Amino acid sequence: MNSRKEFIKKISLISAGTVFTNAISKAHFLLENSKNILFKIPEFTLEPLPYAYNALEPYIDKQTIEIHYQKHHKAYVNNLNKAVTEINYNKSLYNLFNEIDNLPIAIRNNAGGHYNHTLYWKLMKPNGGGVPKGKLAEAINTNFNSFDDFKKQFAQSALNRFGSGWVWLVKTTENKLKITNTANQDNPLMNLAEIGIKGNPILALDVWEHAYYLKHQNRRADYINSWWNVVNWQTAEELYLF
Ligand code: MN
């Protein structure tokens, strides 16, 4: 009985000692960690998809959204983090797009890929579509004559983009609305000579085949027609008013 008591006492002392040692290493770890927070490159993260994978059916199918978000978008985020860490670059996406002409192509492709897809998800919603409202509707009518004319021009721009890229409704610095398209993962915020129309994106349409091939195969026009049914005009107006 006595030896058992001794044994328990011994164990408790060892435990106390262990706790003490852990407390020291914990403090040390926190110190190290706070140094990392000060000097570490901020990490870009994949935000949660604002709806379920199947929420945009029947217009955009579940499998396409799942692969597009989980594989394509996630890869842009991972590769962006790798690319900025390699050159110790630690600025925001906004600054990064401004300085893009001096940065490696891996940053251009993956920063564009991350930002463009983030907008793309937010600019769609289940039971979306219909017509824009408020100030955005007024501006579309002023700049394109009518909503129908705007839709035609936007769809045409999407069909004109050869190969992979994006179609944009942009608010320029002169407060005009313009339609443009860009190659690969470029966007209208990038400070590059080949981006003809620059400004803030209001609408973003991904016309890479990975965005529609499983459901529509080569028929980009069908994908564009479907996409109008899921456009989130509330978010578009927020971007316009911002
Ligand atoms: Mn895509």
Side-chain angles (χ1 to χ4, degrees), residues 172-232:
T172 67
T173 43
E174 298 87 33
N175 246 357
K176 288 218 161 80
L177 287 184
K178 291 196 171 167
I179 294 165
T180 189
N181 63 67
T182 52
N184 305 317
Q185 295 296 350
D186 290 349
N187 68 49
L189 290 168
M190 290 182 175
N191 183 23
L192 292 166
E194 58 265 48
I195 308 293
I197 294 170
K198 296 191 181 75
N200 291 316
I202 307 298
L203 283 181
L205 174 59
D206 188 344
V207 294
W208 284 56
E209 278 188 345
H210 69 224
Y212 60 88
Y213 201 86
L214 291 177
K215 186 178 171 76
H216 299 292
Q217 291 80 50
N218 59 319
R219 300 181 304 275
R220 187 182 285 183
D222 289 358
Y223 161 64
I224 301 161
N225 278 335
S226 291
W227 177 76
W228 291 119
N229 293 290
V230 291
V231 171
N232 185 338

Side-chain angles (χ1 to χ4, degrees), residues 14 22 24 29 47 53 60 64 71 108 113 129 136 138 145 152 159 165 172 174 176 183-184 194 199 202 236 239-240:
I14 290 168
N22 277 348
I24 291 174
F29 170 78
E47 284 180 43
Y53 294 129
I60 303 185
T64 297
K71 307 289 178 188
R108 172 173 166 182
L136 178 59
E138 282 174 31
N145 188 45
K152 271 182 212 148
L159 293 171
T172 67
E174 298 87 33
K176 288 218 161 80
N184 305 317
E194 58 265 48
I202 307 298
L239 289 171
Y240 174 70

Side-chain angles (χ1 to χ4, degrees), residues 48-57 60-66 69 121 124-126:
L49 195 68
Y51 32 75
Y53 294 129
N54 66 356
L56 304 180
E57 299 245 14
I60 303 185
D61 61 289
K62 179 184 178 215
Q63 197 186 11
T64 297
I65 297 279
E66 192 166 359
Y69 172 79
W121 306 127
M124 296 191 289
K125 67 168 193 174

Side-chain angles (χ1 to χ4, degrees), residues 146-188:
S146 70
F147 180 56
D148 281 344
D149 285 354
F150 159 74
K151 275 175 80 177
K152 271 182 212 148
Q153 286 181 45
F154 193 88
Q156 195 54 54
S157 184
L159 293 171
N160 289 351
R161 167 47 55 193
F162 182 76
S164 298
W166 289 77
V167 190
W168 308 92
L169 175 64
V170 171
K171 185 166 92 168
T172 67
T173 43
E174 298 87 33
N175 246 357
K176 288 218 161 80
L177 287 184
K178 291 196 171 167
I179 294 165
T180 189
N181 63 67
T182 52
N184 305 317
Q185 295 296 350
D186 290 349
N187 68 49

